[in-house]
Amino acid sequence: RQESDFMRISVRSKEYIVPALYLTVTLGLIVFIINRDLPKVGHDYGFFLPRLLDTHLHHKVNGLAVQWYTANFGAGTPAYPNPQYSQYSLPQFLMFIINPWLALMLSLVTYSVIGFAGFYMFLRDEMGWISAACALGASFILANGFFVEHAIVGHVGFQHFPLLGVILFLIFTKRLGVLPACILIGLVIGMIVNQAGFVILIIFVLSLLITFPLIYLIRPDMFNRRLFATLLTGGLFATLLSISKISAVIAFMRFFPRVIEDDYGQTYTQGLLGMLRQLTGFNFIVPYYFFTGRDMEEIPLFFQEGAGAQFGIWETNISLSPGLIFLLLLGLAYWIISLKTRTGISRGKAIAVLFLSLAVWLAIDLTLAQGWLYSFLKPLPVLRSLHANVRYTSVFIFPSVLLGAFTFHKVFKKKKTGNSAAFVIGIATVLMLCLYLGIPEDIHVRNFKLRSALAVYPQIDAGWNFTLQNVAEITDMEVFLEEDSNIASQDPMFGYEGEYFNPKVTLGPIMELRAGHYNLTNPAGYVFPKENNLQPFDLFREDQKANLELFINHRQPNFESSSWQKFADILSFSAVVVSVLYFLLAVIKESMRSLSIYLNKRT
């Protein structure tokens, strides 16, 4: 029996060698690409790193209490209600033990490993496909332009992209009961919401609308009552765990909706060709420019011409692995050939095709920022504040990966050449990632220097605090060096050019009284003006001196919030407590069971 157990473990270990190798090489290369030009990194890290430091300072002074507002940036602005702030997130908590850059890299690696493993198990255990197909599929959700590009430039809220893989696993798995699976789904979505991931959530929803019908067409038996119970209960847990943050964000954005209209000036057909260029072009244009000696800094123009918009390459390059493109073409040929032997389609699959068509239509309309469905949905809350719609081409990554892995399984499941084919496709994926090593740093605007952030972190971590003295014309990072608040916001919530940011403060001392007001914005006016008798951009009044002194010393003032917000806070906190207690009890129960089995064997 012991020999049998050993053989089973040995076989299972060998099965994991290939996926582990794919993960190690792919993720290692991505991390190297991000860190290629240290100490210079992508420009948007210059937004997120100061805010990670700001919240870390808040934690050192106030513990884990909510950081509703910050005095450091914009002469007093919202923190927790800002969708770009990530107080209760993995990288923020990691800063209790490591510096902010390592925290960001470790969080990216953690999300990638969890997403890779979850998607691998989904394809293997639930879809029932061969290991090589599952390993390739899991690597494709990491090795794509959308994930890599946003990681390079510093879009911290996009780190969660691979987690759709684990969400799919949790939705369909039979390994877990409905309740633990739903709690885990809620925790994953809660993490995304609390780490500036609102755009990723929209991408996830659109991806699932396309992926579910595809799964049904492949494996209709997977759709049962348990699935719908998991979706419903998981959605409930996600809502409870996220409602505090979402409510705070809505309270802030009702005054700053940042309504932006994308107009790419293209016909629908031109837009579709541009999407195809986004998904495939990087694999061809970079080698072409390299071997013909053309200026590599012109590569973004190739994608801008396709999209019809002047966005950076990090928004327009959604490239799939060349190995995945090959599998999709192979799958298309396989499907065309199989049509000759098909006699009909069931009612359920016909409905799935209808839903699939509607989901694809919706995704295309949103990506191209035109069409009937786009016109209908754009005025809705949250959606009206989003732009750079070209990034929604990423909605097709997971469905494409599913189809590519399925093709590999169907073609190679009974062939001895499967492992060799997987190796060649894996090499093609690695080569695609290597193309990023030849991209000049200016294309991704790698102009934020890490040294300043890494120098400030140990001071804050050791307990250093400072009293803000002035409102000054300085950058977000210089706030910590000059010990002043800045007047020029770098926050896109107030517009990319600061067009919605109209503070009443002036350059000079914060504690200087003028007409009964101090020289710092009372940030409660941005979020809960009625409850605090304020308007956006109102300054601290003379009778609010005590709150102002708390604020400039990085303590939270005694401001009021709405009754609904207080209720939402209670709901989210209760959901966190229930989730932690549930899993704690589950661990204790499993430990007692294992101990009982061990003692019985001894006797």
Side-chain angles (χ1 to χ4, degrees):
R1 181 179 176 181
Q2 289 179 345
E3 185 176 347
S4 176
D5 289 342
F6 175 78
M7 291 296 294
R8 194 182 306 113
I9 294 171
S10 178
V11 171
R12 183 58 64 114
S13 298
K14 289 180 180 178
E15 180 188 339
Y16 289 132
I17 290 175
V18 173
L21 183 62
Y22 273 82
L23 173 62
T24 302
V25 174
T26 303
L27 188 53
L29 191 51
I30 291 172
V31 172
F32 179 75
I33 290 167
I34 297 168
N35 289 270
R36 187 194 70 180
D37 296 307
L38 287 179
K40 290 188 290 185
V41 294
H43 58 282
D44 270 345
Y45 285 113
F47 174 84
F48 285 101
L49 280 167
R51 280 154 183 80
L52 287 171
L53 290 169
D54 177 49
T55 301
H56 190 56
L57 174 58
H58 167 86
H59 283 159
K60 300 299 281 189
V61 175
N62 304 277
L64 294 178
V66 176
Q67 183 190 16
W68 283 101
Y69 309 103
T70 177
N72 285 340
F73 309 124
T77 51
Y80 185 67
N82 189 327
Q84 300 289 336
Y85 258 76
S86 52
Q87 180 178 2
Y88 298 114
S89 67
L90 179 59
Q92 192 67 67
F93 289 139
L94 286 172
M95 284 180 61
F96 283 111
I97 53 176
I98 53 179
N99 71 52
W101 184 248
L102 291 179
L104 286 173
M105 292 301 99
L106 183 55
S107 67
L108 181 139
V109 168
T110 301
Y111 296 140
S112 299
V113 170
I114 293 173
F116 182 100
F119 196 58
Y120 177 85
M121 289 189 291
F122 165 70
L123 296 180
R124 189 196 65 183
D125 297 349
E126 309 310 323
M127 301 302 292
W129 297 344
I130 60 175
S131 180
C134 304
L136 285 172
S139 66
F140 291 151
I141 67 172
L142 302 180
N144 59 79
F146 179 77
F147 182 59
V148 177
E149 291 282 0
H150 287 286
I152 291 172
V153 298
H155 292 170
V156 173
F158 290 62
Q159 286 189 346
H160 310 94
F161 181 71
L163 290 182
L164 182 54
V166 79
I167 290 177
L168 279 168
F169 171 73
L170 291 171
I171 289 172
F172 287 97
T173 184
K174 302 177 189 67
R175 289 189 176 192
L176 299 173
V178 172
L179 185 57
C182 292
I183 293 176
L184 287 173
I185 290 171
L187 289 171
V188 170
I189 294 176
M191 285 194 303
I192 295 171
V193 168
N194 280 282
Q195 193 181 315
F198 287 89
V199 172
I200 285 293
L201 280 184
I202 294 173
I203 290 170
F204 279 9
V205 170
L206 293 171
S207 290
L208 288 175
L209 289 176
I210 298 173
T211 304
F212 278 166
L214 287 176
I215 295 173
Y216 184 88
L217 291 171
I218 298 169
R219 287 283 308 276
D221 57 295
M222 292 174 62
F223 286 74
N224 48 40
R225 291 182 179 178
R226 184 193 183 282
L227 168 66
F228 295 108
T230 302
L231 286 173
L232 182 63
T233 313
L236 176 62
F237 269 100
T239 301
L240 291 174
L241 287 163
S242 308
I243 195 167
S244 172
K245 176 73 173 181
I246 293 172
S247 297
V249 168
I250 292 174
F252 175 37
M253 292 189 67
R254 60 187 164 152
F255 301 110
F256 298 92
R258 202 184 61 153
V259 177
I260 301 175
E261 293 286 345
D262 281 7
D263 183 3
Y264 302 141
Q266 293 184 314
T267 66
Y268 211 82
T269 302
Q270 288 173 325
L272 289 172
L273 293 174
M275 291 175 64
L276 183 63
R277 184 181 295 201
Q278 285 182 266
L279 290 166
T280 62
F282 187 79
N283 299 302
F284 307 104
I285 194 65
V286 177
Y288 173 73
Y289 270 52
F290 179 79
F291 287 112
T292 58
R294 293 188 60 174
D295 186 356
M296 299 285 275
E297 294 195 5
E298 294 179 3
I299 288 175
L301 296 176
F302 170 80
F303 293 100
Q304 290 172 1
E305 289 170 359
Q310 301 300 308
F311 291 116
I313 191 173
W314 51 89
E315 299 290 8
T316 52
N317 174 29
I318 316 286
S319 57
L320 303 175
S321 160
L324 176 55
I325 295 171
F326 165 76
L327 288 175
L328 292 173
L329 293 174
L330 181 62
L332 178 61
Y334 184 88
W335 177 73
I336 292 173
I337 293 171
S338 69
L339 284 177
K340 298 178 181 179
T341 60
R342 295 197 176 181
T343 56
I345 186 172
S346 67
R347 180 173 176 271
K349 288 190 175 183
I351 294 173
V353 170
L354 175 61
F355 274 104
L356 175 62
S357 302
L358 289 173
V360 170
W361 178 20
L362 172 62
I364 292 173
D365 267 19
L366 287 177
T367 303
L368 302 183
Q370 59 177 296
W372 180 81
L373 289 177
Y374 173 77
S375 301
F376 176 74
L377 294 174
K378 179 61 177 176
L380 295 177
V382 180
L383 287 178
R384 64 181 178 176
S385 302
L386 300 175
H387 84 130
N389 290 50
V390 292
R391 62 173 57 140
Y392 293 130
T393 304
S394 60
V395 165
F396 294 97
I397 293 176
F398 267 89
S400 299
V401 170
L402 183 76
L403 291 175
F406 177 58
T407 298
F408 189 94
H409 169 75
K410 292 290 287 186
V411 173
F412 294 102
K413 64 180 177 180
K414 295 181 180 179
K415 293 183 173 63
K416 294 181 179 180
T417 56
N419 289 335
S420 299
F423 177 77
V424 172
I425 292 172
I427 291 297
T429 301
V430 170
L431 290 176
M432 184 273 284
L433 291 174
C434 289
L435 295 178
Y436 284 96
L437 300 177
I439 301 294
E441 65 179 53
D442 289 346
I443 287 182
H444 290 104
V445 198
R446 300 182 188 232
N447 61 6
F448 181 74
K449 296 180 180 178
L450 275 177
R451 289 197 180 97
S452 55
L454 298 183
V456 168
Y457 168 74
Q459 295 177 269
I460 294 175
D461 201 51
W464 170 67
N465 192 6
F466 58 92
T467 302
L468 294 169
Q469 302 294 329
N470 302 292
V471 174
E473 200 165 345
I474 54 179
T475 66
D476 288 347
M477 199 61 243
E478 288 173 332
V479 162
F480 301 96
L481 306 177
E482 304 291 334
E483 301 184 11
D484 292 328
S485 183
N486 63 2
I487 193 171
S489 173
Q490 294 177 233
D491 195 329
M493 294 307 300
F494 296 108
Y496 286 96
E497 303 296 330
E499 58 268 30
Y500 305 120
F501 189 64
N502 301 298
K504 300 176 182 178
V505 295
T506 58
L507 298 177
I510 290 172
M511 298 304 295
E512 183 177 339
L513 267 173
R514 291 182 182 176
H517 291 84
Y518 293 102
N519 191 33
L520 199 72
T521 303
N522 188 325
Y526 291 118
V527 189
F528 304 115
K530 180 180 177 181
E531 290 78 6
N532 293 278
N533 192 27
L534 294 167
Q535 292 295 321
F537 302 111
D538 278 357
L539 303 175
F540 276 89
R541 299 190 302 269
E542 187 174 2
D543 62 342
Q544 296 172 326
K545 182 178 180 181
N547 272 333
L548 175 59
E549 289 177 339
L550 287 173
F551 198 40
I552 62 176
N553 284 284
H554 303 103
R555 298 188 180 278
Q556 291 299 286
N558 299 311
F559 294 144
E560 288 295 325
S561 60
S562 67
S563 299
W564 167 253
Q565 184 63 51
K566 292 174 183 176
F567 178 64
D569 295 343
I570 293 172
L571 287 178
S572 289
F573 181 74
S574 300
V576 171
V577 171
V578 168
S579 301
V580 171
L581 287 178
Y582 177 86
F583 284 111
L584 183 61
L585 291 173
V587 169
I588 293 173
K589 183 179 178 180
E590 182 62 26
S591 300
M592 295 298 292
R593 190 184 71 85
S594 300
L595 179 61
S596 176
I597 293 173
Y598 173 76
L599 293 175
N600 288 335
K601 285 184 178 180
R602 290 290 301 269
T603 57

